[in-house]
Every structure is written in C-alpha cells, then in structure tokens.
C-alpha cells in the first residue's frame, strides 16, 4: 500500500510534507522542485525556516492545537525571498506514534491571494483618492469664487491683483487634475514594449520643463551611456522622468546661489540605471520611506498634490523595477531607478535607439 500512497502524493500538484513533533521535515514530495527547491536538501530542516516571520506565530498556534485536522493559509519562501501562498491542511499522525508528527498538505493559492491583496490595496487607495480629491478640488474652486466676487466689486488696480490670485488658484487646480489624470493613466494602460532612446526622451522632458525654472538659477547636466538597445514602456519611462525632474526643480534650496540637477543613465543588456541628483533641500531620514505614500508631503516649502512620488514608485514597480533614495537635509537628494531591459516583440518596436555615450546640459 505504501507505493500506492507515494504514487498519489508524488503525482499531485499539492506539496505533501511530514514533520516530526519539533517540526523538522522528515519527508517532502518532489513536486517542490516546481518551486525551485530540492527535496533532499530540505530534509532535516525546520519547516519554520521557510515560513514568513510575521506568520510564524499563527503557524505554531495552528499546528500545536489538539485538533486532528487544521486548515489555514500561510506563505512559504521555499527557494527565494518571494513567498508562495498555500492553503495548509495539517493532519496529526496517530497519537501512539513516538514522534507525534504531522502531515501537511500545501495547496498553492498564490494567484488568489495576490489578487485579494491587490483589491484590498486598490480599495484603500480609492478611499484616499476620493477623500483627497473632494478636499483638494473644493479648496481652489472656493478660493477662486471668493476672489471673483471681490474682483467684481474692486477698483481697477485691485482687480488685477485679484485676477492674478484667481489664476494661481486655477493653476493649482489644473495641476492637481493633471496629477490625477497621470495616476489614472499609468494604472490603466497596458504595458508596451518599445525601443527607447534615452537621449531623445530626456531632451523632450527637459523641453517640457523649460518654463518651470529659470535657466540662470538652475544648471542641468545630462550624461548618457547607451551602448545597447533598451526596451520598455515609453509612456511610463516619460512619467518617471517627469516626476523626478518636477521633484528636483520644485524642492530647490533657495538659500543656495546655484541649483544643479544631474541626470545619469547607464544602459546594459540587463537594465537601465537612471540617477537624478540635485543639491536641493534634501529629505529627513525619517521620511525616506513615507515620501512614496499617496498624498504624503514631507515639507510645506512647495505646494503639490502629494501624488508625484507615489506615481513614481507605482510606475517603476509596474515595470518590474525598483527605486532607491539617497538624501541628506540641506545637501540634496539622489533618486536611483533600476528598470529591466525588456525584450521587444515584433510589431511593438518604435524608433531605434542611438547607441553610444553622450553628455549635454
């Protein structure tokens, strides 16, 4: 009968694990190879070596209960730092067994769990967006309406001042709407694979920002090394550059005689590394993680929606990249973005890149 059991277990898509009373693995089915793990290398190890730390107490509580059958969900990091989520059914081995172990049946539910997590995150973001939108749309509208009433009753010199204030309120409203549009667009559009010239993209984005800073007060240098083709989503790459440039310009240190921004791009077969450094006001260490939260603003020096850096990180993650921050208050900030070099498919390619190294300012 033992061979029948082994045939059933070894041909199942579920992972079967036998652990002793101290939770050391005595047997694990070979299907675990699908997850990048060698079953023989796992023998003798403690099952808790692979359990997500924040779920370890739940595992212990469930496995140590007196019931003969337990069902719970948990994540296991079998061959990487990325957890795989399983529905775990634990059966207690008969009580007269001297080892007093358990048989665990692990059924992969990762797609369902990740989709649930995405829905919960989306619902939380939606609540934040609705609250923030109603607040930030109402304020400039009410301000403009109030100023309009005053302008209608004011003499000519004061009327021009009120009109200038109305324009400021409407510009603020327009900027917020544009941020919301960018947030919606980057989240909804399918990811495209296109050949990208970093020189062309950066020149275009710098042209778009010409009216947002005074060239006599801001120095911008660009250094690009692109010896190979780079493929990614053009619209989202532009979104990343726009938000990095806007952030660097917006948070310039007015106490310094000259503000500089340096853009470096290094492209390899594997990835593109984009660095945007400035000598602006910098960011306190305690805010380094929070600045990427939706609507969070670490300073009141400049007005904004608090969406820019959230959109930045969200866009980078959608491209399967990562972002790092180095910043010292009073000295400046450097954002480092790593974007994988995607493989372009037939029919998806656009204008070819111009390989080589270039610098301009």
């Amino acid at each position: 009968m033992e061979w029948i059991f082994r045939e059933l277990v070894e041909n199942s898509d579920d992972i079967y694990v036998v652990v002793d009373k101290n939770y050391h693995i005595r047997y694990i089915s070979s299907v675990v190879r699908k997850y990048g793990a060698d079953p023989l290398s796992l023998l003798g190890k403690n099952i808790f070596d692979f359990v997500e730390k924040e779920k370890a107490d739940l595992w212990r509580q469930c496995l140590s209960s007196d019931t003969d059958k337990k069902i719970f969900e948990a994540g296991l990091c079998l061959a990487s730092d990325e957890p795989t989520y399983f529905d775990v059914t634990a059966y207690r081995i008969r009580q007269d067994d001297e080892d007093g172990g358990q048989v665990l049946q692990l059924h992969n539910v990762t797609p369902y769990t990740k989709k649930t997590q995405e829905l919960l995150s989306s619902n939380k973001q939606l609540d934040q967006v609705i609250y923030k939108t109603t607040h930030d749309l109402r304020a400039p509208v009410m301000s403009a309406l109030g100023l309009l009433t005053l302008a209608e009753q004011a003499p000519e010199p004061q009327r021009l001042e009120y009109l200038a204030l109305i324009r400021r309120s409407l510009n603020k409203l327009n900027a917020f709407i544009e941020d919301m549009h960018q947030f919606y667009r980057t989240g909804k559009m399918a990811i495209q694979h296109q050949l990208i010239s970093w020189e062309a993209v950066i020149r275009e984005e710098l042209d778009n920002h010409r009216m947002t800073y005074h060239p006599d007060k801001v120095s911008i240098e660009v250094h690009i090394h692109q010896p190979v083709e780079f493929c990614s989503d053009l619209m989202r790459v532009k979104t990343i550059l726009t938000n990095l440039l806007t952030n660097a310009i917006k948070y310039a240190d007015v106490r310094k005689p000259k503000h500089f921004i340096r853009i470096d791009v290094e492209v390899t077969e594997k990835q593109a590394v984009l660095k945007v450094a400035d000598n602006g006001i910098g960011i306190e260490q305690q805010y380094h993680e929070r600045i990427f939260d939706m609507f969070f603003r670490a300073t009141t020096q400049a007005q904004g929606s608090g969406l820019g850096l959230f959109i930045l990180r969200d866009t980078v993650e959608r491209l399967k990249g990562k972002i790092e921050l180095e910043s010292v208050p009073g000295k400046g900030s450097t954002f480092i973005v790593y974007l994988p070099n995607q493989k372009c498919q037939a029919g998806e390619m656009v204008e070819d890149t111009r390989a080589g190294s270039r610098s301009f300012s």
Side-chain angles (χ1 to χ4, degrees), residues 121-133:
S121 177
S122 295
N123 285 337
K124 182 179 178 181
Q125 288 180 8
L126 182 59
D127 289 341
Q128 291 178 296
V129 167
I130 291 174
Y131 172 80
K132 184 71 173 178
T133 301

Side-chain angles (χ1 to χ4, degrees), residues 301-360:
Q301 172 170 311
Q303 296 297 317
S305 64
L307 272 174
L309 292 180
F310 171 81
I311 293 172
L312 171 64
R313 184 171 67 175
D314 182 73
T315 305
V316 170
E317 290 177 348
R318 288 179 187 275
L319 295 178
K320 307 300 182 185
K322 65 177 183 177
I323 185 168
E324 297 175 354
L325 168 64
E326 300 171 358
S327 186
V328 178
K331 293 187 177 181
S333 303
T334 300
F335 287 87
I336 308 171
V337 176
Y338 302 87
L339 296 176
N341 198 345
Q342 307 287 355
K343 182 179 180 181
C344 287
Q345 303 296 324
E348 292 184 322
M349 297 184 181
V350 294
E351 180 183 0
D352 199 0
T353 57
R354 286 164 285 177
S357 298
R358 279 166 300 282
S359 300
F360 57 89

Side-chain angles (χ1 to χ4, degrees), residues 198-233:
W198 279 98
E199 181 183 4
V201 171
I202 291 173
R203 284 190 182 276
E204 179 182 343
E205 291 306 308
L206 288 177
D207 286 341
N208 292 337
H209 282 79
R210 291 297 180 193
M211 302 302 294
T212 64
Y213 67 93
H214 198 292
D216 292 337
K217 295 183 179 180
V218 180
S219 172
I220 300 180
E221 293 184 7
V222 180
H223 303 275
I224 304 170
H225 183 229
Q226 185 174 356
V228 297
E229 292 179 341
F230 178 75
C231 192
S232 189
D233 187 294

Side-chain angles (χ1 to χ4, degrees), residues 182-199:
Q182 190 181 61
F183 168 64
Y184 178 83
R185 182 180 60 176
T186 56
K188 294 297 182 182
M189 292 183 65
I191 292 177
Q192 304 294 317
H193 290 169
Q194 301 155 299
L195 286 170
I196 293 173
S197 164
W198 279 98
E199 181 183 4

Side-chain angles (χ1 to χ4, degrees), residues 7-76:
E7 282 293 316
L8 290 172
V9 168
E10 292 296 330
N11 288 286
S12 172
D13 289 331
D14 293 345
I15 300 174
Y16 285 86
V17 187
V18 178
V19 297
D20 61 23
K21 61 183 179 181
N22 294 316
Y23 309 115
H24 291 100
I25 299 172
R26 295 169 54 192
Y27 166 82
I28 186 166
S29 56
S30 58
V31 72
V32 76
R33 289 194 178 96
K34 292 183 179 180
Y35 301 90
D38 177 20
L40 291 178
S41 69
L42 300 180
L43 296 180
K45 295 185 178 179
N46 196 295
I47 191 68
F48 286 98
D49 292 343
F50 309 98
V51 176
E52 289 181 297
K53 292 183 179 179
E54 59 271 22
K55 299 291 182 66
D57 290 340
L58 173 63
W59 268 69
R60 291 188 184 277
Q61 182 181 349
C62 292
L63 292 178
S64 62
S65 66
D66 294 331
T67 55
D68 290 333
K69 179 180 178 181
K70 288 85 69 173
I71 301 176
F72 55 97
E73 182 183 316
L76 285 172

Side-chain angles (χ1 to χ4, degrees), residues 128-146:
Q128 291 178 296
V129 167
I130 291 174
Y131 172 80
K132 184 71 173 178
T133 301
T134 54
H135 177 273
D136 282 20
L137 288 179
R138 184 187 299 272
V141 169
M142 295 304 295
S143 175
L145 288 173

Side-chain angles (χ1 to χ4, degrees), residues 165-178:
L165 292 173
I166 291 172
R167 178 182 293 275
R168 183 185 301 174
S169 292
L170 293 179
N171 283 336
K172 180 179 179 182
L173 177 61
N174 183 62
F176 180 78
I177 292 173
E178 178 59 30

